[in-house]
Amino acid sequence: MTEPYQMAREFHKIFAPEPPEKPTAFSIERGSFRAGFKAEEIVEFLYGAAQGDEQTFHELVGKLHESIDQAQKKVLAKAEVVEDPLIAEVDALTDLLYFTYGSFALIGVDPQPIFEIVHRANLGKLFPDGKPRYHPVTNKVLKPEDWQKNYAPEPLIKKELDRQKGKADSF
């Protein structure tokens, strides 16, 4: 089994830009792109939490906006000098990982097999010429036309969750 970090590194070696050989802070632009990717996934998470109910979803997104505003005020109130942006970024990313793994623990799901499913789906985003394509505004990796049919992870995630639920039922 490959660790999630190694799988993500493999993805980024294929779907440039390549990760640096030594730790390097993000530029302001790349940091913004990376935060945007995370925000999109958080909004997707909220849609799932709302169980597809549009009104509840809108309310949850509104609460997320409030949380972002509160977090912004909290960070600015600290008024800490950022001597090394790499330290600040790594600290925040590690906290995100901790919260994410904690969320998996709180719903009783082992994320490792699911991460592997998503990794295979992400590697399926190469186009027939063996090259990736990117959205011109968001810079997100685009999916080839056959991706949904051949690589969509949701059916495999469902199967893995059913396996984990069955495993839990057998105790």
Side-chain angles (χ1 to χ4, degrees):
M1 228 188 305
T2 305
E3 293 296 318
Y5 171 78
Q6 294 301 328
M7 286 186 266
R9 190 164 173 85
E10 175 188 14
F11 174 84
H12 284 288
K13 282 186 173 189
I14 295 168
F15 293 83
E18 281 195 21
E21 291 304 314
K22 64 179 185 174
T24 307
F26 282 118
S27 67
I28 292 170
E29 181 182 54
R30 285 195 65 212
S32 179
F33 273 133
R34 300 304 302 178
F37 297 157
K38 290 172 190 69
E40 181 180 338
E41 298 307 324
I42 290 169
V43 171
E44 223 176 273
F45 172 83
L46 291 176
Y47 188 74
Q51 301 175 12
D53 179 87
E54 215 170 300
Q55 181 176 341
T56 303
F57 174 61
H58 286 295
E59 291 169 9
L60 291 175
V61 171
K63 289 178 184 178
L64 176 61
H65 283 283
E66 291 172 15
S67 295
I68 290 170
D69 291 342
Q70 288 172 355
Q72 181 182 22
K73 288 175 187 172
K74 179 182 172 186
V75 169
L76 290 174
K78 287 182 185 179
E80 295 176 355
V81 175
V82 177
E83 292 181 27
D84 186 344
L86 183 61
I87 293 171
E89 290 173 0
V90 168
D91 177 54
L93 289 170
T94 302
D95 288 345
L96 278 169
L97 275 175
Y98 205 87
F99 279 116
T100 299
Y101 277 100
S103 294
F104 277 114
L106 290 171
I107 61 173
V109 172
D110 176 3
Q112 180 69 32
I114 293 164
F115 195 93
E116 292 170 8
I117 290 165
V118 170
H119 178 63
R120 286 190 300 271
N122 281 338
L123 292 182
K125 293 178 182 176
L126 287 173
F127 278 70
D129 64 0
K131 295 180 181 176
R133 305 279 189 282
Y134 301 94
H135 188 278
V137 175
T138 65
N139 207 37
K140 270 190 96 168
V141 174
L142 298 174
K143 299 169 186 167
E145 199 173 294
D146 68 344
W147 185 87
Q148 189 67 32
K149 181 180 77 165
N150 295 329
Y151 298 102
E154 291 83 3
L156 297 173
I157 291 171
K158 181 188 181 324
K159 185 177 177 182
E160 174 57 27
L161 288 174
D162 288 346
R163 186 193 69 76
Q164 289 188 28
K165 288 176 188 176
K167 187 177 177 182
D169 291 343
S170 65
F171 289 110

